[in-house]
Amino acid sequence: MGEEKKISHCCFCSMQCQMEITKKEGQYEVKPSYSFPVATGKLCQKGLQAVEHTISEQRIRTPFMRSDRKDAWSESTWDDALSYVADNILSLQQAHGKDAVAVYGGGSLTNEMSYLLGKFTRVALQSKYIDYNGRYCMSSAATAATKAFGIDRGMTFPLQDIAKSKYIILAGTNIAECQPTMMPYLLQAKKAGATIVTIDPRNTLTSKIGDIHVRLEPGHDSIFVNGLLHVIISEQWWDHTFIEERTSGIASLMETVASYTPERVEEMTGILAAKTRTIARQFAQADSGIVMTARGVEQQADGVDNTLNYINLCLVTGKIGREGCGFGAVTGQANGQGGREHGQKADQLPGYRSIENEKDRNEIAKVWGIEAKDLPRKGVSAYELFDKIHQGEIKAMMVLGSNPVVSSPNSSYVEAALQKLDLLIVIDLFETETAQYADVFLPGSSFLEAAGTLTNLEGRVFYRPQASVLPKDAKLDSEIIVELATRLGKGAFFPYETAEDIFDELCVASKGGKADYSGLTIRKLVEHDGVFWPCPTTDHAGTPTMFEHTFAHHDGRAYFHAIVPKWSGEAVDEHYPHILTTGRLGIHYLSGSQTRRTPKLQQKAPVPVAEIHPWLAKKIKLAGKRMIKITSRRGSITLQAKITDKIQPNTIFVPFHWGKQLSINTLTSDQLEATCRMPEFKRCAVKVEAM
Ligand SMILES: Nc1nc2c(c(=O)[nH]1)N[C@H]1C(S)=C(S)[C@@H](COP(=O)(O)OP(=O)(O)OC[C@H]3O[C@@H](n4cnc5c(=O)[nH]c(N)nc54)[C@H](O)[C@@H]3O)O[C@H]1N2
Ligand SMILES: Nc1nc2c(c(=O)[nH]1)N[C@H]1C(S)=C(S)[C@@H](COP(=O)(O)OP(=O)(O)OC[C@H]3O[C@@H](n4cnc5c(=O)[nH]c(N)nc54)[C@H](O)[C@@H]3O)O[C@H]1N2
Ligand code: SF4
Ligand SMILES: [Mo]
């Protein structure tokens, strides 16, 4: 039997570690690849198992249809399934207008698929309704970075710079479980003398490597950061020259933080004044420093403000745009960065262009060969698409690369919405909790089968080659979309044979946009192990470090934003006195669709376990089998509890990787951030009872 060695990149987190996959006598062996300069020589436990779900018996391999959702699925041919979809779309649009059909995409998909979904919706469906799961993920960070810097690239520095930094603040980011192969960079920095501060309601695996841990109640970040800014400004540890030459808005920041003395912060949050002073002084005095945030601070009703305040820390100390310095909103999904640049967002056209800007509309219309007037306007955010279904405006939805029944806040509302649709098409690998409501269920491609480009958390655009063939009757996601466009009479606009054809068009479409890929070719990506965007010309080497000389606002400056902590999220009261926060385990990935079907991972964490503090356990008289019932204003769940003093006493943590009766999103709040529409996954008022 021959041995076949292929190169791919892990399908899970934003690190995008490269892997070597060897197929030997029908068995796959996955090893880290040493050649790609992101996670040299390492893969985490999910990466090592990444092939397993793609060969799972549960993977669907042919199209399925049914005329009534109560019926069992019937196998179908592609021809019948796609004709059925196209005919129904056309008749629904005839009866209810073009916007009756919506698309829901995902951040695991390649840049080409993200681009294709945006173009398909605007050109083939001519609908304004497209959004994607990244709305639940990177939208606060994207809005904050755009406001502060004029551009959104998650990390403003390459990973290598972490090792060169002398002071690293990690807020609401659990890197040890969520981007495990980034840990060696942090450990290298520590070895070279860096101080690491972690800020989280829990003592996490990440905080184990920290020198100082700030354990705060969910929602207290902006108060605490105002305390840090107060110390830096009042004691004049700031970088006056940087502020003067490269920023604007310091006056209003000074005014706002003037009253946030460390003592007042201590009164408001319980964080000791001495701790606030120490961190503020040490960070400001360090030669270099990095601040990183993730969903812990971003998935809140005030998520944009929280992120802006952490950015203020970099700006006030001049720690950005030079070696070992910068701000990083740690991107989550495989292509969480690229997935938000090429047009699958409700208000966006490729290259981070705005769908409401006339110049942007004209430029993209020209690339697409249509009239700008025929481009739809902006639609609504992911969760609001379900509102539009409830209101009867959206009648059909196509979901590709997401499992919103598990991952949406207040998920019973989403489930109810899907049941109201006249037509739900799901393109996935598995019969997910979402696919269970579908009328047409199509087998798409996994990461091993679809070649394409992705953009990792650093902003490094790279090429992922095809490493395996499609199973039985499955098709490439891109083929499905192109064939549907053809059946909708728009095939001429989608003349692609390969991912490279789509990438080349995407690069042209991005020219002059903020995420400018126009200097890239797949050959260049392969030759250089990826290239950092922006890369505006063919002779440009890419931009590993952002903002060395200028920010992306028209005046070249970065903007401070004075943050007055609001409390716009859900409030606790005597009926719901505790705070539920949700997040991740190292073992599982997102809605669990893939990792729950990976035996070696699922065995390690078969069900969600709630983390609760001994104080709360005692208060509710938890004993015996340690089962607890958690109830929010929207629902209840009964779970096994783990008593641990590694959590803020009034907070309960539950991972969200399960569906049905184990889904914590039946409880979470659907309050959305005012501008970017990020849901508040990290704070929800609950009561807790022992069962
Ligand atoms: N193993 C694994 N890795 C993943 C994923 C996965 O599902 N599993 N998902 C990927 C994706 S898409 C994403 S977006 C990233 C997410 O990566 P992270 O954002 O790092 O993950 P979370 O567990 O959601 O949240 C991080 C931390 O925020 C803390 N937190 C909660 N509330 C607050 C608060 O108010 N303030 C502060 N400072 N902290 C708070 C939580 O206790 C938690 O430890 O991970 C990526 N990597
Ligand atoms: N309570 C709570 N909820 C959360 C969060 C939280 O912290 N707390 N975090 C939010 C965040 S940050 C995120 S990113 C979302 C993610 O939530 P989801 O988007 O629901 O996450 P996934 O499980 O990645 O769903 C991807 C689906 O696409 C399929 N798939 C994967 N790759 C491909 C492909 O290439 N082609 C096709 N056709 N299908 C594919 C998978 O099988 C899976 O069913 O969850 C959000 N929900
Ligand atoms: S760190 Fe992320 S990309 Fe790397 S192997 Fe683990 S899950 Fe995959
Ligand atoms: Mo995410």
Side-chain angles (χ1 to χ4, degrees), residues 12-14 44-46 136-138 170-180 198-204 206 214 216-221 293-300 306 310 330-334 336 581-592 595 611 647 651 653 656-657 681-683:
F12 297 122
C13 88
S14 51
C44 77
Q45 54 187 339
K46 286 187 303 304
Y136 296 164
C137 181
M138 295 307 297
L170 304 173
T173 170
N174 186 6
I175 289 167
E177 300 208 57
C178 296
Q179 292 80 17
T198 51
I199 304 165
D200 196 299
R202 302 183 301 145
N203 301 74
T204 59
T206 311
V214 179
L216 40 54
E217 191 176 295
H220 279 172
D221 290 84
T293 65
R295 308 310 85 76
V297 305
E298 298 160 16
Q299 289 172 328
Q300 307 213 15
N306 294 340
Y310 279 107
V330 184
T331 293
Q333 299 178 83
T581 193
T582 63
R584 290 151 172 84
L585 302 177
I587 290 164
H588 279 292
Y589 188 68
L590 297 178
S591 79
T595 51
E611 294 176 17
I647 186 162
T651 306
F653 173 85
F656 80 100
H657 310 292
F681 291 120
K682 291 297 189 267
R683 226 189 105 93

Side-chain angles (χ1 to χ4, degrees), residues 3 79 112 117-118 124 149 223 257 270-271 308 324 383 409 464 482 485 491 493 502 537 552 556 620 646 657 667 673:
E3 195 181 282
D79 199 37
E112 294 73 31
L117 283 183
F149 307 133
I223 304 174
V257 303
I271 301 164
L308 281 167
Y383 187 77
R464 182 186 72 195
V482 170
F493 296 96
I502 307 176
T537 54
I620 63 168
K646 294 188 167 61
H657 310 292
L667 272 63
E673 200 277 345

Side-chain angles (χ1 to χ4, degrees), residues 10 148 246 335 516 586 622:
C10 173
R246 302 204 50 194
N335 195 28
D516 195 328
L622 186 59

Side-chain angles (χ1 to χ4, degrees), residues 452-505:
T453 70
L454 296 94
T455 306
N456 85 341
L457 78 180
E458 306 163 284
R460 183 194 298 265
V461 189
F462 67 92
Y463 180 66
R464 182 186 72 195
Q466 182 190 353
S468 184
V469 289
L470 284 159
K472 203 171 166 222
D473 272 346
K475 272 188 193 284
L476 289 177
D477 294 334
S478 54
E479 265 183 278
I480 302 174
I481 299 301
V482 170
E483 286 189 26
L484 260 181
T486 305
R487 281 174 162 79
L488 292 167
K490 303 284 183 178
F493 296 96
F494 298 85
Y496 317 114
E497 296 280 324
T498 61
E500 187 161 6
D501 294 342
I502 307 176
F503 184 70
D504 289 345
E505 186 181 302

Side-chain angles (χ1 to χ4, degrees), residues 9-19 39 42-48 50 178-182 589:
H9 289 257
C10 173
C11 56
F12 297 122
C13 88
S14 51
M15 287 293 289
Q16 284 306 290
C17 309
Q18 196 176 62
M19 47 179 50
K42 296 245 167 9
L43 288 175
C44 77
Q45 54 187 339
K46 286 187 303 304
L48 289 168
C178 296
Q179 292 80 17
T181 57
M182 201 198 293
Y589 188 68

